[in-house]
Protein backbone atom coordinates (compact mmCIF):
# COMPACT_ATOMS: atom_id res chain seq x y z
CA UNK A 1 0.00 0.00 0.00
CA UNK A 2 2.97 2.28 0.53
CA UNK A 3 4.29 1.54 -2.96
CA UNK A 4 0.92 2.41 -4.48
CA UNK A 5 0.71 5.65 -2.43
CA UNK A 6 -2.52 4.57 -0.78
CA UNK A 7 -0.83 5.26 2.54
CA UNK A 8 1.75 8.03 2.82
CA UNK A 9 3.84 9.67 5.51
CA UNK A 10 0.91 11.96 6.27
CA UNK A 11 -1.01 8.94 7.57
CA UNK A 12 1.33 8.64 10.54
CA UNK A 13 1.72 10.70 13.70
CA UNK A 14 5.29 11.07 14.89
CA UNK A 15 6.32 12.04 18.37
CA UNK A 16 9.59 11.77 20.28
CA UNK A 17 9.56 8.02 20.98
CA UNK A 18 6.73 6.62 18.88
CA UNK A 19 4.96 6.58 15.55
CA UNK A 20 1.21 5.92 15.34
CA UNK A 21 -0.96 5.26 12.33
CA UNK A 22 -3.94 7.58 12.01
CA UNK A 23 -7.47 6.19 12.13
CA UNK A 24 -8.10 6.77 8.41
CA UNK A 25 -4.97 4.82 7.47
CA UNK A 26 -5.96 1.92 9.72
CA UNK A 27 -9.35 1.84 8.03
CA UNK A 28 -7.74 1.80 4.59
CA UNK A 29 -5.57 -1.15 5.59
CA UNK A 30 -8.47 -3.08 7.07
CA UNK A 31 -10.57 -2.48 3.95
CA UNK A 32 -7.77 -3.72 1.70
CA UNK A 33 -7.24 -6.75 3.96
CA UNK A 34 -10.95 -7.60 3.90
CA UNK A 35 -11.08 -7.31 0.10
CA UNK A 36 -8.04 -9.58 -0.21
CA UNK A 37 -9.56 -12.19 2.09
CA UNK A 38 -12.67 -12.30 -0.14
CA UNK A 39 -10.66 -12.94 -3.33
CA UNK A 40 -10.83 -16.50 -4.59
CA UNK A 41 -8.37 -18.87 -6.22
CA UNK A 42 -8.85 -22.29 -7.75
CA UNK A 43 -7.74 -24.88 -5.19
CA UNK A 44 -5.74 -27.74 -6.68
CA UNK A 45 -6.89 -30.49 -4.33
CA UNK A 46 -10.50 -29.42 -3.90
CA UNK A 47 -11.03 -28.56 -7.54
CA UNK A 48 -13.08 -25.45 -6.78
CA UNK A 49 -12.61 -21.78 -6.02
CA UNK A 50 -11.96 -20.88 -2.40
CA UNK A 51 -11.31 -17.54 -0.71
CA UNK A 52 -8.06 -16.69 1.03
CA UNK A 53 -10.01 -16.71 4.29
CA UNK A 54 -11.09 -20.31 3.61
CA UNK A 55 -7.51 -21.24 2.72
CA UNK A 56 -6.40 -20.05 6.16
CA UNK A 57 -9.16 -22.11 7.77
CA UNK A 58 -8.01 -25.20 5.83
CA UNK A 59 -4.47 -24.64 7.13
CA UNK A 60 -5.82 -24.48 10.69
CA UNK A 61 -7.57 -27.81 10.15
CA UNK A 62 -4.30 -29.31 8.92
CA UNK A 63 -2.53 -28.01 12.05
CA UNK A 64 -5.22 -29.53 14.27
CA UNK A 65 -4.79 -32.91 12.57
CA UNK A 66 -1.04 -32.63 13.08
CA UNK A 67 -1.45 -31.83 16.79
CA UNK A 68 -3.78 -34.79 17.18
CA UNK A 69 -1.15 -37.02 15.50
CA UNK A 70 -3.53 -37.94 12.67
CA UNK A 71 -1.50 -36.60 9.78
CA UNK A 72 1.91 -34.96 9.36
CA UNK A 73 1.59 -31.23 8.68
CA UNK A 74 2.76 -30.03 5.29
CA UNK A 75 2.68 -26.27 4.86
CA UNK A 76 0.73 -24.54 2.12
CA UNK A 77 2.70 -23.79 -1.04
CA UNK A 78 1.45 -21.20 -3.48
CA UNK A 79 1.16 -22.66 -6.97
CA UNK A 80 0.17 -19.56 -8.91
Amino acid sequence: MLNKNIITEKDFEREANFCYMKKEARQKILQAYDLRMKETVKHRDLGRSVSYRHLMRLECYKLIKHLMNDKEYEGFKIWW
Side-chain angles (χ1 to χ4, degrees):
M1 293 185 75
L2 289 170
N3 291 340
K4 294 179 181 180
N5 289 328
I6 296 172
I7 294 178
T8 62
E9 284 186 45
K10 295 176 185 175
D11 291 317
F12 296 91
E13 296 176 5
R14 291 187 184 185
E15 294 295 327
N17 293 327
F18 64 87
C19 180
Y20 286 124
M21 191 180 296
K22 293 181 181 178
K23 184 178 179 179
E24 296 83 20
R26 289 193 306 260
Q27 289 175 341
K28 289 178 189 177
I29 288 177
L30 288 175
Q31 272 183 328
Y33 175 78
D34 193 44
L35 287 174
R36 180 63 162 209
M37 290 295 108
K38 290 178 182 177
E39 287 182 19
T40 60
V41 293
K42 180 85 169 180
H43 196 283
R44 277 185 170 173
D45 297 334
L46 297 178
R48 62 184 173 96
S49 294
V50 294
S51 67
Y52 284 107
R53 182 169 283 142
H54 191 71
L55 279 175
M56 291 193 316
R57 183 178 298 143
L58 292 173
E59 285 301 299
C60 290
Y61 292 149
K62 287 177 15 181
L63 283 169
I64 289 169
K65 285 183 180 183
H66 176 75
L67 293 172
M68 293 173 56
N69 293 325
D70 285 347
K71 189 176 180 182
E72 187 69 25
Y73 176 73
E74 185 177 327
F76 180 76
K77 294 180 185 145
I78 296 177
W79 60 84
W80 59 90

